[in-house]
C-alpha cells in the first residue's frame, strides 16, 4: 500500500532542530511490513502553503498519515481541508498528541478517517492490513473512527513491552541535511536525536507528553550504542541529543551506556534530560568522562509552594544541589522555568527570580507561560474553573509553545502576569520590587 506520512509545520519562526521522530518510528514500522512509504516534511523544509498543495497533489497514495503535537492543531485543520479537496477518496489517519487526548473532537471537526491513540507502531501495521483488505476496523486496537455517524472506540492498545523490538526510525525519509547541521547551544554539529526510553513515573500537572505516569520501558544500552554507531557512520554525527523525558531514571543503565560509549571509542559528545533528584556526583562524573556536555532540567519554579502545586515531587533545595553538582563536574545545567501555574503570585515569581540569581545561571534563561494542554491536570483545572470557554479556539491559538499567555489560571490579571514574565526574563529584582505604574 502507498502511504504518505506528513510532518506538519509546527514552529514557523524557529529553525528546525529535531525531525519528527515519532513519525520516523511509524514510517520504519510500515516499511518493515513492505509498504511503500514517503514522508512530506513540511516542518523541516518550512514549505509555504502552495508548495504543500503541489506536493500532495503530485504524490500518489492510498493513505495519508499525519502526526504532530497538539500545538499544531490549527495547521492540521488547514492541512486536512486541503487533502480532502485534492484527494477526496484517500484515507487520512492522525496520531500523536494532536489527536490522542481529543480523538472525538478531531473526528467531529476534521474530515479524517481514523485517530491512532497512544503508541502507534503496532497499531498502524494492523490498521494498514485492515484498510488494504477492506476489513472491519473494529478488530484493530487503539483507534477511533466514525461508522454510520457514530464514533467507535476500539479496545486500548497495550504498551509495547520490549521497545528494542521496534526498528530504528526511518532517518532517510527526512531531510537530515537540515536537522544535522542545526546547532543546539554548544553541541557540535552534525548532531542527531535519539530516544532511549518510553515512559515517566511522574505526573506533573502541566505535562502533555504521551507516556507520562506510565511504566518506564528502556532500550538496552547495546541497542542505544548500535543506533549511535549507525548515525555516526551514516551521517558523521559528532554529538547526540538523548531526547528522553528522563534519561537518568535508571542509574545502572546510565553507567552501562557510558561504559559502552568509551569502549567503542565513539568520541561522541552528548546531552540529555534529567530530574534534580535522579543524579549524584559520582554519576555526573561518569557521564562527563563519557562525553556528556549538558543536562536539561525542568526546574519550573524556585518556589516550594508552586512545586507542590504542580506535583513536581521535588524541592527547591534539591534543584540547587543538582545545579551546583553539574557546575562542579563541568556539565552545563540547562534549566527552564514556568510562570503562571495555579497559585502563582508576585511573591512566588520573586522566589523563582531569587533562585536564578542565587545559583548564577547563565543567560538566556527560558521562562515560559504555564499553558493547559488537553489530557493534563492543568487543563482539567482550567476547564473546571471556566477558563476555557471555547476548546477549539484554544487549540487553534497554541502556536509557538508557551510563548504567549493563553489561559490565566492565577488570581493575577493578564497584564500583571505578562509584565512579571518580562521582568523575570530581565532578572531585575529592582524592577520586580518597583511599584506598579497603574
Amino acid at each position: 500500500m502507498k502511504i504518505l506520512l506528513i510532518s506538519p509545520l509546527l514552529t514557523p519562526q524557529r529553525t528546525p532542530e529535531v525531525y519528527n521522530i515519532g513519525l520516523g518510528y511509524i514510517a520504519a514500522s510500515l516499511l518493515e511490513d513492505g509498504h511503500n512509504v514517503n514522508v512530506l516534511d513540511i516542518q523541516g523544509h518550512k514549505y509555504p502553503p502552495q508548495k504543500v498543495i503541489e506536493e500532495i497533489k503530485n504524490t500518489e497514495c492510498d493513505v495519508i498519515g499525519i502526526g504532530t503535537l497538539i500545538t499544531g492543531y490549527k495547521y492540521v485543520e488547514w492541512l486536512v481541508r486541503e487533502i480532502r479537496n485534492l484527494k477526496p477518496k484517500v484515507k487520512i489517519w492522525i496520531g500523536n498528541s494532536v489527536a490522542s487526548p481529543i480523538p472525538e473532537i478531531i473526528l467531529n471537526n476534521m474530515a479524517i478517517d481514523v485517530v491512532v491513540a497512544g503508541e502507534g507502531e503496532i497499531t498502524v501495521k494492523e490498521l494498514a492490513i485492515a484498510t488494504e483488505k477492506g476489513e472491519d476496523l473494529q478488530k484493530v486496537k487503539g483507534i477511533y473512527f466514525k461508522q454510520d455517524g457514530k464514533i467507535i472506540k476500539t479496545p486500548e492498545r497495550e504498551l509495547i513491552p520490549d521497545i528494542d523490538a521496534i526498528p530504528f526510525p526511518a532517518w532517510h525519509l527526512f531531510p537530515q541535511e537540515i536537522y544535522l547541521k542545526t546547532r543546539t547551544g554548544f553541541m557540535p554539529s552534525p548532531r542527531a536525536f535519539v530516544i532511549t526510553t518510553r515512559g515517566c513515573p511522574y505526573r506533573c500537572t502541566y505535562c502533555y507528553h504521551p507516556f507520562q505516569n506510565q511504566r518506564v520501558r528502556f532500550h538496552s544500552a547495546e541497542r542505544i550504542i548500535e543506533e549511535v554507531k549507525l548515525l555516526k557512520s551514516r551521517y558523521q554525527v559528532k554529538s547526540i541529543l538523548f531526547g528522553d523525558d528522563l534519561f537518568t531514571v535508571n542509574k545502572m543503565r546510565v553507567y552501562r551506556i557510558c561504559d559502552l560509549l568509551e569502549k567503542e571509542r565513539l568520541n561522541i559528545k552528548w546531552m540529555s534530560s534529567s530530574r534534580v533528584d535522579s543524579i549524584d556526583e559520582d554519576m555526573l562524573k561518569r557521564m562527563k568522562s563519557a562525553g556528556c556536555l549538558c543536562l536539561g532540567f525542568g526546574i519550573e519554579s524556585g518556589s516550594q509552594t508552586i512545586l507542590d502545586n504542580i506535583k513536581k515531587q521535588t524541592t527547591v533545595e534539591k534543584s540547587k544541589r543538582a545545579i551546583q553538582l553539574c557546575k562542579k563536574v563541568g556539565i552545563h545545567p540547562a534549566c527552564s522555568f514556568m510562570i503562571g501555574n495555579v497559585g502563582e503570585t508576585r511573591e512566588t515569581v520573586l522566589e523563582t527570580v531569587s533562585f536564578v540569581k542565587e545559583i548564577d545561571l547563565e543567560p538566556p534563561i527560558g521562562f515560559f507561560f504555564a499553558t493547559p494542554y488537553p489530557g493534563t491536570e492543568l487543563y482539567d483545572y482550567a476547564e473546571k474553573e471556566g477558563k476555557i470557554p471555547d476548546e477549539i479556539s484554544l487549540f487553534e491559538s497554541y502556536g509557538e509553545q508557551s510563548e504567549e499567555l493563553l489561559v490565566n489560571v492565577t488570581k493575577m490579571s493578564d497584564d500583571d502576569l505578562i509584565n512579571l514574565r518580562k521582568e523575570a526574563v530581565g532578572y531585575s529584582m529592582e524592577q520586580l520590587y518597583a511599584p506598579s505604574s497603574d
Side-chain angles (χ1 to χ4, degrees):
M1 190 158 62
K2 294 179 180 179
I3 301 174
L4 175 64
L5 300 178
I6 300 181
S7 180
L9 186 63
L10 193 62
T11 55
Q13 307 305 319
R14 300 183 192 176
T15 301
E17 294 183 358
V18 178
Y19 78 101
N20 191 329
I21 194 168
L23 215 59
Y25 280 119
I26 295 300
S29 295
L30 291 167
L31 286 169
E32 192 175 52
D33 276 10
H35 297 287
N36 182 340
V37 182
N38 287 297
V39 170
L40 173 57
D41 190 354
I42 305 170
Q43 168 65 11
H45 290 290
K46 302 289 185 182
Y47 284 147
Q50 191 54 45
K51 176 64 173 175
V52 173
I53 291 170
E54 290 174 7
E55 290 289 328
I56 294 172
K57 184 178 180 179
N58 295 329
T59 302
E60 185 181 343
C61 56
D62 306 298
V63 170
I64 291 179
I66 303 170
T68 192
L69 304 180
I70 186 63
T71 49
Y73 182 95
K74 185 175 183 178
Y75 190 90
V76 171
E77 277 188 316
W78 170 82
L79 185 61
V80 169
R81 286 196 300 270
E82 294 300 328
I83 292 170
R84 276 288 166 247
N85 287 333
L86 295 166
K87 298 182 180 294
K89 294 183 179 180
V90 75
K91 300 295 184 183
I92 302 177
W93 307 340
I94 295 186
N96 208 329
S97 72
V98 74
S100 284
I102 51 170
E104 293 92 348
I105 291 175
I106 292 287
L107 284 164
N108 285 329
N109 289 275
M110 300 185 196
I112 70 154
D113 297 280
V114 177
V115 166
V116 175
E119 208 162 33
E121 286 85 356
I122 294 176
T123 302
V124 294
K125 285 173 172 274
E126 295 180 5
L127 181 57
I129 292 171
T131 300
E132 194 168 26
K133 295 182 177 180
E135 297 175 344
D136 186 357
L137 297 185
Q138 292 196 53
K139 71 175 186 178
V140 180
K141 290 183 178 180
I143 65 171
Y144 291 73
F145 65 97
K146 269 189 174 182
Q147 185 171 285
D148 300 325
K150 179 183 177 183
I151 293 178
I152 305 295
K153 174 188 176 182
T154 66
E156 187 174 340
R157 170 69 60 184
E158 303 88 349
L159 295 177
I160 299 170
D162 177 16
I163 60 173
D164 273 2
I166 301 170
F168 293 129
W171 307 303
H172 65 288
L173 295 181
F174 294 82
Q176 293 296 347
E177 68 279 1
I178 293 174
Y179 297 105
L180 291 165
K181 69 181 181 182
T182 302
R183 292 188 62 84
T184 301
F186 43 77
M187 301 300 291
S189 298
R191 92 289 182 282
F193 189 80
V194 173
I195 296 290
T196 79
T197 63
R198 290 188 180 186
C200 178
Y202 301 93
R203 193 171 182 86
C204 300
T205 60
Y206 55 85
C207 183
Y208 70 102
H209 290 186
F211 301 117
Q212 63 175 327
N213 199 32
Q214 292 183 347
R215 176 175 58 87
V216 182
R217 292 158 294 149
F218 301 93
H219 280 306
S220 65
E222 290 74 15
R223 150 83 181 223
I224 295 163
I225 299 304
E226 183 183 355
E227 186 167 356
V228 172
K229 288 170 69 175
L230 281 170
L231 287 166
K232 183 172 182 180
S233 64
R234 189 172 300 179
Y235 300 110
Q236 294 75 54
V237 300
K238 295 180 180 178
S239 64
I240 297 290
L241 280 66
F242 291 120
D244 311 279
D245 287 339
L246 187 51
F247 179 81
T248 58
V249 67
N250 183 308
K251 183 176 180 179
M252 296 313 297
R253 191 188 75 127
V254 172
Y255 275 85
R256 177 63 175 160
I257 293 168
C258 292
D259 289 344
L260 290 178
L261 282 170
E262 291 187 337
K263 180 181 178 182
E264 296 290 339
R265 299 181 180 179
L266 294 176
N267 193 28
I268 289 286
K269 302 302 181 184
W270 53 279
M271 67 176 292
S272 67
S273 60
S274 182
R275 275 178 59 94
V276 297
D277 54 3
S278 68
I279 57 172
D280 57 45
E281 186 171 348
D282 287 341
M283 184 168 72
L284 289 176
K285 287 179 177 178
R286 188 71 192 91
M287 293 165 67
K288 173 67 175 178
S289 70
C292 181
L293 297 181
C294 176
L295 267 183
F297 296 103
I299 303 295
E300 314 310 358
S301 179
S303 164
Q304 192 60 51
T305 297
I306 299 302
L307 291 180
D308 293 341
N309 286 354
I310 64 178
K311 300 183 179 179
K312 192 67 179 176
Q313 297 184 44
T314 189
T315 67
V316 173
E317 289 307 311
K318 287 180 180 178
S319 296
K320 292 178 182 178
R321 174 65 175 161
I323 293 167
Q324 290 165 350
L325 285 177
C326 283
K327 289 183 175 183
K328 181 179 179 180
V329 304
I331 292 176
H332 175 70
C335 303
S336 63
F337 297 85
M338 301 174 71
I339 288 179
N341 270 299
V342 176
E344 191 85 272
T345 63
R346 187 177 185 83
E347 290 67 34
T348 60
V349 175
L350 280 170
E351 289 182 82
T352 297
V353 174
S354 295
F355 174 93
V356 171
K357 292 175 71 71
E358 179 183 343
I359 59 178
D360 193 25
L361 285 177
E362 296 178 15
I365 309 297
F367 287 94
F368 302 100
F369 284 116
T371 303
Y373 296 106
T376 66
E377 186 174 328
L378 181 60
Y379 190 92
D380 293 341
Y381 173 86
E383 200 169 32
K384 180 181 177 181
E385 293 295 311
K387 303 284 189 178
I388 307 175
D390 186 336
E391 286 186 303
I392 301 299
S393 293
L394 175 60
F395 301 157
E396 291 175 341
S397 70
Y398 280 144
E400 299 278 347
Q401 190 168 317
S402 303
E403 292 288 340
E404 302 291 337
L405 177 60
L406 302 180
V407 179
N408 185 351
V409 296
T410 75
K411 296 187 182 302
M412 293 183 281
S413 70
D414 288 1
D415 285 345
D416 283 346
L417 194 55
I418 290 168
N419 287 332
L420 273 172
R421 190 225 180 193
K422 289 178 181 177
E423 294 166 359
V425 170
Y427 321 115
S428 173
M429 294 297 288
E430 291 77 18
Q431 281 183 311
L432 282 166
Y433 280 119
S436 172
S437 60
D438 292 345

